[in-house]
C-alpha cells in the first residue's frame, strides 16, 4: 500500500511535535510514533529547559555549555542555541506551557555546571506539561495526521536523496512518499541494561544512518546521569532524581556520611566520583540528602520525586535517597547542519537523534529540550522556505521481510557493536543483550 504526504515526521516527542507546529499550515503532515504517543523521553523530563536570561547572559551561558562539553562543542551551534533560546521559551508560553512564575516573573532554577539560575520549569514535571501542551496543539491542526504504534522500518531513497519512509502499521508494510522526512526518534537508552530512558528508544535514526551511509558524529559521547534512584527491585527504566535536587542544595554522601564531591560539577565528573565511591565501598549506591530543607519546600518543588521515593519506602523529607549512575543521554547522533539537514538530501534529523555539536563531550543540564526546540524550529523554517520547489517521486521501495521486533533486535546489536568499536569503555555487561 502507498500513501503520500508533504512531510513525514518520525517521533512524537517534543522535537517531532514542535517541528510539526512550526511547519507551514498548507503542508500535509504525518507524524508516526512507534509506541504509545506519550512513550517518549520528553514526557519524563523533570528539571527544565535552559535559556539565556537576557543578552548579558549570552556569553556566560555559552561558556558554561562549552566548559561542560570539554570544548569539543561546535561553537556556531552553541551560539545559535543561546541566541534563539528565549524566543522559543516565549513561543512555548504562548502555546500554553504553564512555566512556574514568582511575582509574575519566570522562576529560574539552577543545575550542575550552570554559573547562574537560568532554567525554566514546571514544578518537577516540566516534560509532562510541555508534551501535553504540544500534543493538544498538534491535535487541533487539521493538516496534521498522527499515528501511534506505527514503526518506521526504513527509508526510501535513491542517489543520496530521501523520497519517503517504509512504515509498519497494524503489522502491514506501508510505503509513504513525501517531500521531506524528519527523524525525531530520540536517544539510545533502550540498548543499555540500566538507563533512565524509555526502553523502546534504541537509536533508530542512527542505525538507519549506519546502514545507508548517512554521516554520524560523536557516537561515543554517551552521558551517564549521576543520580538514578537505586531500587532493589529494579527492572526496566531507572527513575531519575533530577539534577535540580542538587541545584536546590542536595548533597551527596558516602557510606560514612561524608561528602566526597562538589555536587554541582558537570555530570561526567560527579558520575565518576560516585563510581569511585561505589568501587571503594562495595555498597552499590551512595546517598543524596535534602532532608535538611523545609518539608513544605520539598513538597512544592519536588512533588513527583517525593511521591516516587515514598513508593520505595523513603521519605525524602526525613531520610536520604539511595542513588546510582545510569545511562541518560546521547550527545552523538546523525550529523546535521544548523538547519537540521543531514548529509542525505531531503532528510532532516532533530532532537536527541541528531548531533548538532551543541553538547561536545558532555551535555550541560537542561540543554537537551532547548536543543530540540531551537533546531526543530530551524528545520521547520528550512522546509517552509523550500517545499514549493520539491516534487514527490515514487521510487521503488524495498520489501521488508523481518517483523518490527526482529528488526529492532538486529538494530540494537548493530548499534552496540558500532559503539563498542568507537569506545573501549563500553563493556558487554552495560548493554541489554536480550
Ligand atoms: C528521565 C529523563 C529526564 C530528563 N530531564 C531533562 C530535563 O530536565 N531537561 C532537558 O533538557 N532534558 C532532559 N532529558 C533529556 C530529554 O528529555 C530528551 O533528550 C528529549 O526529550 C528528547 O526529545 P526527542 O523529541 O528528541 O525524543 P523523544 O521525546 O524521546 O521522542 C522520541 C520519539 O521517537 C519515536 N520513535 C523512535 N524510533 C521510532 C521508529 N523507528 N518509528 C517510529 N517512531 C519512533 C518514539 O516513539 C518517540 O515518540 C531527560 C531525559 C530523561 C530520560
Amino acid at each position: 500500500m502507498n500513501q503520500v504526504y508533504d512531510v513525514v515526521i518520525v517521533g512524537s516527542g517534543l522535537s517531532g511535535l514542535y517541528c510539526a507546529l512550526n511547519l507551514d499550515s498548507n503542508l500535509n503532515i504525518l507524524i508516526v510514533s512507534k509506541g504509545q504517543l506519550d512513550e517518549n523521553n520528553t514526557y519524563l523530563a523533570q528539571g527544565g529547559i535552559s535559556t539565556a536570561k537576557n543578552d548579558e547572559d549570552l556569553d556566560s551561558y555559552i561558556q558554561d555549555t562549552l566548559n561542560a562539553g570539554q570544548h569539543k562543542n561546535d561553537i556556531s551551534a552553541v551560539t545559535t542555541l543561546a541566541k534563539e533560546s528565549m524566543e522559543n521559551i516565549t513561543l512555548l508560553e504562548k502555546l500554553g506551557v504553564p512555566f512556574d512564575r514568582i511575582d509574575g516573573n519566570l522562576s529560574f532554577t539552577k543545575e550542575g555546571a550552570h554559573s547562574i539560575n537560568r532554567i525554566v520549569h514546571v514544578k518537577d514535571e516540566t516534560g509532562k506539561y510541555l508534551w501535553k501542551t504540544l500534543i493538544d496543539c498538534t491535535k487541533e491542526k487539521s493538516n496534521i495526521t498522527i499515528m501511534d504504534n506505527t514503526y518506521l522500518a526504513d527509508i526510501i531513497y535513491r542517489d543520496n536523496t530521501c523520497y519517503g519512509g517504509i512504515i509498519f502499521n497494524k503489522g502491514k508494510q506501508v510505503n509513504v512518499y513525501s517531500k521531506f522526512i524528519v527523524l525525531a526518534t530520540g536517544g539510545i537508552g533502550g540498548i543499555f541494561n540500566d538507563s533512565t530512558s524509555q526502553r523502546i528508544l534504541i537509536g533508530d535514526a542512527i542505525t538507519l544512518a549506519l546502514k545507508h551511509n548517512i554521516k554520524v558524529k560523536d557516537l561515543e559521547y554517551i552521558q551517564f546521569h549521576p543520580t538514578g534512584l537505586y531500587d532493589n527491585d529494579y527492572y526496566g527504566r531507572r527513575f531519575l532524581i533530577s539534577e535540580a535536587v542538587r541545584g536546590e542544595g542536595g548533597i551527596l554522601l558516602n557510606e560514612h556520611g561524608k561528602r566526597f564531591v562538589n555536587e554541582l560539577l558537570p555530570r561526567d565528573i560527579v558520575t565518576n566520583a560516585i563510581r569511585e565511591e561505589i568501587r571503594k565501598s562495595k555498597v552499590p549506591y551512595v546517598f543524596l540528602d535534602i532532608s535538611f530543607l523545609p518539608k513544605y519546600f520539598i513538597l512544592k518543588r519536588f512533588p513527583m520525586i517525593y511521591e516516587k521515593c515514598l513508593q520505595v519506602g523513603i521519605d525524602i523529607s526525613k531520610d536520604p535517597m539511595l542513588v546510582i549512575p545510569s545511562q541518560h543521554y546521547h550527545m552523538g547522533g546523525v550529523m546535521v547542519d544548523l538547519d537540521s539537514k543531514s548529509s542525505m538530501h531531503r532528510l532532516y534529523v532533530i532532537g536527541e537523534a541528531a548531533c548538532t555539536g551543541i553538547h561536545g563531550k558532555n551535555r550541560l543540564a537542561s540543554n537537551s529540550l532547548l536543543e530540540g526546540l531551537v533546531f526543530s524550529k530551524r528545520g521547520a523554517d528550512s522546509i517552509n522556505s523550500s517545499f514549493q520547489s520539491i516534487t514527490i517521486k515514487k521510487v521503488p521501495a524495498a520489501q521488508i521481510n523481518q517483523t518490527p521486533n526482529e528488526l529492532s533486535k538486529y538494530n540494537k546489536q548493530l548499534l552496540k557493536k558500532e559503539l563498542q568499536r568507537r569506545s573501549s569503555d563500553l563493556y558487554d555487561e552495560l548493554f541489554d543483550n536480550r
Side-chain angles (χ1 to χ4, degrees):
M1 201 209 307
N2 291 344
Q3 287 183 9
V4 176
Y5 289 87
D6 290 313
V7 184
V8 174
I9 298 176
V10 186
S12 62
L14 137 124
S15 313
L17 298 180
Y18 196 64
C19 178
L21 289 170
N22 280 289
L23 283 169
D24 194 299
S25 54
N26 291 324
L27 289 167
N28 192 13
I29 301 163
L30 172 68
I31 301 177
V32 300
S33 154
K34 73 171 164 182
Q36 303 296 318
L37 285 185
D38 60 1
E39 210 174 341
N40 55 64
N41 278 356
T42 298
Y43 197 93
L44 302 175
Q46 299 176 359
I49 312 177
S50 310
T51 181
K53 289 170 86 166
N54 45 42
D55 284 353
E56 288 71 56
D57 184 32
L58 279 174
D59 282 348
S60 149
Y61 177 35
I62 290 170
Q63 270 317 312
D64 288 349
T65 301
L66 297 177
N67 289 341
Q70 298 174 25
H71 295 264
K72 300 281 182 197
N73 324 54
D74 180 314
I75 183 80
S76 53
V78 177
T79 307
T80 304
L81 179 87
K83 282 191 172 157
E84 295 178 14
S85 53
M86 194 45 106
E87 68 192 56
N88 281 287
I89 300 299
T90 306
L91 195 50
L92 283 184
E93 275 208 305
K94 280 194 184 137
L95 290 173
V97 179
F99 288 118
D100 287 1
R101 284 183 168 264
I102 299 173
D103 299 332
N105 300 316
L106 279 170
S107 156
F108 294 100
T109 189
K110 193 167 190 250
E111 295 190 38
H114 282 274
S115 48
I116 61 164
N117 290 32
R118 63 160 78 87
I119 295 161
V120 295
H121 56 92
V122 190
K123 303 186 180 68
D124 60 351
E125 294 185 280
T126 306
K128 182 171 121 186
Y129 287 94
L130 171 63
W131 187 81
K132 283 189 162 170
T133 305
L134 295 181
I135 194 74
D136 287 348
C137 294
T138 311
K139 283 179 174 170
E140 280 170 15
K141 298 269 181 182
S142 57
N143 64 318
I144 303 178
T145 306
I146 310 173
M147 290 164 71
D148 60 2
N149 295 304
T150 303
Y151 172 72
L152 177 85
D154 210 340
I155 50 173
I156 304 170
Y157 77 106
R158 179 166 291 176
D159 299 332
N160 199 39
T161 302
C162 188
Y163 293 106
I166 301 174
I167 59 172
F168 275 82
N169 181 255
K170 301 197 175 93
K172 289 215 168 68
Q173 175 171 342
V174 183
N175 302 326
V176 187
Y177 291 93
S178 59
K179 295 183 177 182
F180 298 98
I181 286 259
V182 181
L183 302 180
T185 56
I188 63 171
I191 75 167
F192 287 86
N193 244 334
D194 191 337
S195 170
T196 58
S197 163
Q198 295 282 11
R199 302 303 305 165
I200 61 165
L201 301 178
I202 58 170
D204 286 338
I206 299 171
T207 43
L208 283 175
L210 294 173
K211 287 176 188 171
H212 302 304
N213 274 330
I214 301 163
K215 286 190 184 153
V216 293
K217 191 165 177 268
D218 295 346
L219 292 193
E220 62 280 24
Y221 294 165
I222 298 164
Q223 184 168 78
F224 287 77
H225 196 287
T227 57
L229 180 66
Y230 180 82
D231 173 2
N232 263 338
D233 294 332
Y234 169 75
Y235 178 75
R237 194 177 75 72
R238 189 160 304 276
F239 182 76
L240 177 80
I241 305 296
S242 165
E243 187 135 355
V245 169
R246 282 172 285 133
E248 298 290 358
I251 52 172
L252 286 164
L253 303 168
N254 66 15
E255 57 168 344
H256 305 298
K258 285 221 166 83
R259 277 179 82 184
F260 54 90
V261 66
N262 171 352
E263 291 79 3
L264 293 180
L265 285 172
R267 287 182 178 171
D268 52 342
I269 299 175
V270 180
T271 291
N272 288 340
I274 295 177
R275 281 200 176 131
E276 184 55 18
E277 285 302 317
I278 289 176
R279 193 189 60 73
K280 280 193 306 208
S281 70
K282 304 214 167 39
V283 179
Y285 48 78
V286 295
F287 300 96
L288 175 58
D289 194 12
I290 52 166
S291 61
F292 48 84
L293 294 174
K295 185 167 180 176
Y296 77 87
F297 176 78
I298 293 176
L299 290 179
K300 182 164 184 288
R301 184 66 185 86
F302 301 115
M304 190 199 16
I305 293 174
Y306 178 81
E307 277 306 319
K308 176 69 191 177
C309 289
L310 264 192
Q311 284 166 22
V312 298
I314 303 169
D315 178 346
I316 63 173
S317 68
K318 295 189 180 132
D319 296 310
M321 299 160 245
L322 316 184
V323 294
I324 180 173
S326 305
Q327 191 282 340
H328 183 59
Y329 185 77
H330 194 200
M331 277 70 72
V334 181
M335 192 175 105
V336 293
D337 66 11
L338 292 181
D339 289 326
S340 301
K341 290 180 185 167
S342 75
S343 65
M344 180 176 273
H345 303 301
R346 293 161 59 161
L347 182 74
Y348 287 72
V349 186
I350 53 177
E352 193 169 336
C355 181
T356 57
I358 293 293
H359 309 293
K361 222 172 167 181
N362 176 53
R363 170 172 73 105
L364 180 67
S366 285
N367 263 0
S368 165
L369 294 174
L370 181 64
E371 180 192 35
L373 293 170
V374 169
F375 289 91
S376 62
K377 179 162 187 316
R378 291 180 75 85
D381 291 346
S382 161
I383 291 174
N384 290 340
S385 64
S386 53
F387 73 87
Q388 270 155 343
S389 59
I390 304 277
T391 49
I392 290 173
K393 201 167 164 187
K394 292 190 179 173
V395 305
Q399 183 62 40
I400 307 283
N401 295 319
Q402 289 157 296
T403 63
N405 273 348
E406 289 166 346
L407 203 53
S408 294
K409 214 168 172 187
Y410 173 82
N411 287 345
K412 274 166 84 172
Q413 290 306 319
L414 181 77
L415 186 53
K416 173 189 147 184
K417 287 211 174 82
E418 181 62 22
L419 296 177
Q420 284 184 315
R421 192 178 71 75
R422 288 166 181 253
S423 167
S424 53
D425 287 345
L426 295 169
Y427 306 108
D428 266 355
E429 300 81 78
L430 285 173
F431 291 96
D432 178 3
N433 287 312
R434 282 165 295 168

